[in-house]
Amino acid sequence: MRLDQFIANSTELSRKEAKRAISRGEVTINEQICKGANTQLVGDERVAWSGTRLSLPGERYLMMNKPAGVVSATTDSDHPTALDLLPADITRNLHIAGRLDADTTGLLLLTTDGQWSHRVTSPRTDCPKTYRVTLSEPLTDAATQQLERGVDLHNDPKPTRPARIQILDGGVIELTISEGRYHQVKRMLAAVGNHVKALHRVRIGQVELDKALKPGEYRELTCQEKDSLA
Ligand code: URA
């Protein structure tokens, strides 16, 4: 979408007024003034007018406590999807920001806002995701250090970025990573000779899974939660 269109859609300004505001230097993209009304937004920019962060109106932002056995997809012919757990009238244009494996439980974000979900999931934005991981064996000190440095994954040319580890109990840890490669947590633990028995996402950035949500339940994000991931 062009910048002037985005400003007109997300404020009370007309397209003409949006162009004027842009040429007066009132609009920033990623904190840099941008005076090009025809600048194309690719999807992950932070756009602000006179210092106020803008987003398109009518967007929806939800968190769900994803149960096991549900796939993170909008449609699936064989399994129930996260969208199947929501009332039909709110699922229009909703997509998942950061998938989980079918057997992984916990925090799933769903939104209609493609720019926002891109910022949540893009490795470039470094948004941390925290998982509670139940292991088949207690994590050794050597394995902890390896994960904190970064490990080589099977069939993957690049080592993982350094992870943060908190040992909760012998076989249960909290692992924080800022990438989202395929089966990443399970593969990281396999790379250090362990095995993931259960995986539960507890946090994305500063957004924590609401403990009041039972598996399969959802709620709207608060503005503060939504903006904390902006
Ligand atoms: N890492 C995994 O291995 N699975 C998930 O569902 C999420 C992260």
Side-chain angles (χ1 to χ4, degrees):
M1 185 184 292
R2 279 172 55 122
L3 181 59
D4 53 351
Q5 180 75 64
F6 181 90
I7 302 290
N9 289 356
S10 55
T11 65
E12 73 279 14
L13 299 183
S14 66
R15 187 87 175 256
K16 208 161 153 190
E17 289 166 337
K19 281 189 176 139
R20 286 206 199 107
I22 295 166
S23 63
R24 284 197 298 267
E26 293 172 8
V27 172
T28 55
I29 300 181
N30 298 338
E31 291 77 45
Q32 304 291 317
I33 291 175
C34 175
K35 291 193 170 182
N38 60 357
T39 303
Q40 286 291 335
L41 299 172
V42 295
D44 60 349
E45 302 88 347
R46 291 178 301 281
V47 180
W49 171 44
S50 298
T52 302
R53 185 67 214 288
L54 302 177
S55 55
L56 295 171
E59 303 286 16
R60 292 191 299 287
Y61 306 87
L62 306 176
M63 72 159 75
M64 175 186 282
N65 183 357
K66 179 190 158 314
V70 164
V71 294
S72 298
T74 41
T75 55
D76 190 286
S77 46
D78 299 327
H79 305 95
T81 72
L83 290 196
D84 293 334
L85 302 179
L86 299 171
D89 58 328
I90 67 162
T91 57
R92 203 166 65 85
N93 295 335
L94 214 55
H95 63 270
I96 291 161
R99 289 162 176 248
L100 291 174
D101 296 337
D103 57 355
T104 302
T105 56
L107 178 61
L108 193 65
L109 298 176
L110 301 107
T111 182
T112 52
D113 183 344
Q115 297 194 329
W116 185 83
S117 61
H118 191 261
R119 285 192 296 274
V120 171
T121 54
S122 168
R124 279 193 295 143
T125 54
D126 236 355
C127 175
K129 284 106 189 160
T130 301
Y131 297 85
R132 195 177 64 225
V133 192
T134 308
L135 297 166
S136 56
E137 307 286 336
L139 199 64
T140 62
D141 289 346
T144 304
Q145 283 162 21
Q146 272 178 284
L147 292 167
E148 285 172 341
R149 274 197 305 267
V151 289
D152 288 319
L153 299 180
H154 186 59
N155 277 343
D156 209 323
K158 265 174 74 180
T160 57
R161 289 184 188 162
R164 286 204 308 271
I165 313 271
Q166 197 189 345
I167 311 275
L168 299 183
D169 169 331
V172 184
I173 63 167
E174 268 197 9
L175 175 80
T176 301
I177 55 175
S178 58
E179 303 165 287
R181 301 192 213 176
Y182 181 66
H183 294 328
Q184 178 157 349
V185 175
K186 292 172 187 163
R187 290 163 72 214
M188 285 174 77
L189 272 304
V192 296
N194 212 311
H195 175 74
V196 172
K197 287 206 306 192
L199 189 55
H200 181 77
R201 186 155 62 194
V202 289
R203 202 175 310 112
I204 298 180
Q206 293 172 28
V207 176
E208 194 134 356
L209 177 64
D210 188 330
K211 291 186 180 61
L213 293 179
K214 298 197 185 79
E217 289 184 343
Y218 71 95
R219 70 158 169 82
E220 297 265 351
L221 293 191
T222 63
C223 282
Q224 205 183 1
E225 286 171 335
K226 179 225 139 194
D227 289 344
S228 76
L229 290 172

